[in-house]
């Protein structure tokens, strides 16, 4: 049984709040017919099957293993693994650890690994096997070397691997035509965010009903269309407040809000401070720099 990821917004938000460290990376060939009896996993890890066949039972759920399958183990998981006697398994593996470290509304938050449930586990089918295998090979190659720059690059590649996996999961649930129309409306928003943009305008552009477009957009991006427009406007407002001398009213108008008070409420809700306070703090920081 292969798992299918559907809530990409929540998944990306969860992964974006984690920082990772690779403990061990390598490749392995199982002996023909080799079997590892039930045991509890201690660390989160990834397996990517490159050759052979076999089966795995994870917390009582049985899945067939073959090239292109990704297996994600989480701590405390009970597993039985078996390699085919005529076609033994060959895998890449990465054992890692993680902790929570993220910024929200100008405040940093930290969580220990035992406080966080890793958002993926089980067996998944990968379509872009070549791209995923390449990243595993790059990480394995770096694992044979030492140094701060090497460690930093491994972290970057591991996050790139996770992103590639999620993009692969996503591509399996959304058609090429749907992806194209969503991308076209995103491009439109990026160039016209300062104008009045309604859900109906975007849905009409995509040739879809309001509800269908909104549902697909949120599945693809993780925000509703109007939430996306709002966050894009506030991001642009933050740039203007930090690096220009424009008044709040001017900034509000330039990012698409005629009502300065409404803009200030939205800004504070998203950023955590008022536009005036944000502007004063950033300009003070720039002056000190």
């Amino acid at each position: 049984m292969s798992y299918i990821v559907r809530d990409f917004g929540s998944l990306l938000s969860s992964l974006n709040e984690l920082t990772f460290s690779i403990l061990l990376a390598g490749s392995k060939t199982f002996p023909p017919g080799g079997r590892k009896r039930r045991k509890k996993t201690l660390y989160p890890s990834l397996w990517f099957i490159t050759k052979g066949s076999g089966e795995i039972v994870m917390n009582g759920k049985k899945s067939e293993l073959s090239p292109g399958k990704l297996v994600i183990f989480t701590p405390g998981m009970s597993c039985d693994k078996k390699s085919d006697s005529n076609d033994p398994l060959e895998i890449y593996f990465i054992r890692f650890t993680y902790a929570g470290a993220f910024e929200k509304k100008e405040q940093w938050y930290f969580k220990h690994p035992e406080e966080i449930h890793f958002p993926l586990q089980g067996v998944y089918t990968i379509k872009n096997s070549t791209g995923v295998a390449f990243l595993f090979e790059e990480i394995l190659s770096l694992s044979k070397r030492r140094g701060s720059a090497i460690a930093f690059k491994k972290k970057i590649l591991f996050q790139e691997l996770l992103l590639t996996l999620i993009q692969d999961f996503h591509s399996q649930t959304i058609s090429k035509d749907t992806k194209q129309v969503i991308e076209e409306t995103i491009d439109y928003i990026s160039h016209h965010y300062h104008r009045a943009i309604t859900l109906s305008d975007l849905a009409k552009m995509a040739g879809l009903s309001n509800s269908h477009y909104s549902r697909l957009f949120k599945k693809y991006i993780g925000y509703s269309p109007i939430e996306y427009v709002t966050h894009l406007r506030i991001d642009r407002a933050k740039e203007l407040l930090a690096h220009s001398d424009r008044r709040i009213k001017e900034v509000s108008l330039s990012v698409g809000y005629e009502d300065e008070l409404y803009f200030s409420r939205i800004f504070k809700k998203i950023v955590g401070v008022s536009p005036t306070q944000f502007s004063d703090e950033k300009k003070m920081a720039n002056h000190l720099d």
Side-chain angles (χ1 to χ4, degrees):
M1 180 184 74
S2 291
Y3 287 81
I4 298 175
V5 177
R6 298 198 182 278
D7 191 349
F8 294 95
S10 295
L11 175 58
L12 284 168
S13 293
S14 296
L15 290 174
N16 202 36
E17 293 180 352
L18 301 180
T19 183
F20 300 92
S21 178
I22 295 176
L23 302 177
L24 186 66
S27 59
K28 180 177 181 179
T29 300
F30 286 78
R35 181 165 195 160
K36 286 194 173 182
R37 294 291 178 182
R38 189 178 300 274
K39 64 182 245 182
K40 298 277 187 179
T41 55
L42 297 177
Y43 296 97
S45 58
L46 307 177
W47 280 13
F48 185 62
I49 314 302
T50 56
K51 290 183 181 179
S53 60
E55 64 180 39
I56 189 167
V57 179
M58 308 174 80
N59 290 338
K61 295 180 179 179
K62 180 179 176 181
S63 300
E64 300 298 322
L65 300 180
S66 58
K69 295 288 186 180
L70 175 79
V71 187
I72 302 181
F73 301 90
T74 54
M77 180 181 282
S78 177
C79 299
D80 275 346
K81 308 150 191 172
K82 182 181 178 182
S83 181
D84 190 278
S85 56
N86 298 314
D87 192 16
L89 289 167
E90 294 185 20
I91 68 168
Y92 291 130
F93 68 86
I94 296 174
R95 183 185 299 167
F96 62 96
T97 187
Y98 59 87
F102 58 95
E103 179 268 339
K104 187 176 292 185
K105 294 184 178 180
E106 307 251 327
Q107 294 291 321
W108 276 93
Y109 299 86
F110 302 94
K111 291 183 180 180
H112 294 288
E114 56 270 18
E115 300 177 72
I116 308 166
H117 175 71
F118 194 70
L120 292 166
Q121 67 173 30
V123 179
Y124 300 85
T125 299
I126 300 299
K127 298 298 184 184
N128 181 20
S129 293
T130 302
V132 169
F134 173 79
L135 287 167
F136 268 97
E137 288 166 0
E138 288 286 290
I139 293 170
L140 267 57
S141 176
L142 288 176
S143 295
K144 298 173 184 176
R145 301 166 61 188
R146 306 283 300 173
S148 298
I150 297 298
F152 191 65
K153 188 172 183 180
K154 277 198 299 183
K155 286 184 178 181
I156 294 171
L157 284 173
F158 184 69
Q159 289 185 300
E160 186 177 345
L161 172 61
L162 291 175
L163 179 59
T164 300
L165 294 174
I166 293 166
Q167 289 173 332
D168 193 277
F169 300 155
H170 203 174
S171 70
Q172 296 178 42
T173 65
I174 191 166
S175 70
K176 184 176 289 187
D177 290 343
T178 299
K179 179 179 178 181
Q180 182 177 341
V181 296
I182 297 296
E183 288 287 357
E184 286 173 356
T185 58
I186 289 172
D187 186 60
Y188 176 84
I189 292 168
S190 69
H191 289 92
H192 301 88
Y193 64 88
H194 54 288
R195 300 181 183 176
I197 298 176
T198 67
L199 174 60
S200 295
D201 293 334
L202 297 171
K204 185 177 180 180
M205 189 182 306
L208 301 169
S209 69
N210 287 8
S211 59
H212 190 199
Y213 170 75
S214 186
R215 187 166 58 251
L216 288 175
F217 190 99
K218 188 162 187 176
K219 180 180 179 182
Y220 187 67
I221 297 299
Y223 290 112
S224 72
I226 300 308
E227 286 173 335
Y228 184 84
V229 172
T230 300
H231 280 269
L232 195 64
R233 286 173 169 175
I234 297 303
D235 285 344
R236 178 57 178 154
K238 287 165 68 177
E239 292 176 22
L240 293 173
L241 290 168
H243 302 292
S244 77
D245 293 322
R246 296 192 191 186
R247 294 177 300 167
I248 305 300
K249 179 67 174 178
E250 291 178 281
V251 171
S252 175
L253 287 171
S254 71
V255 299
Y257 294 104
E258 293 187 7
D259 187 335
E260 180 183 348
L261 293 178
Y262 179 70
F263 163 71
S264 295
R265 287 199 301 273
I266 295 295
F267 189 97
K268 187 170 184 178
K269 181 179 178 181
I270 292 175
V271 181
V273 297
S274 69
T276 301
Q277 184 179 345
F278 180 88
S279 178
D280 290 344
E281 288 176 354
K282 295 303 176 185
K283 286 173 181 173
M284 176 63 72
N286 292 341
H287 178 70
L288 292 175
D289 289 342

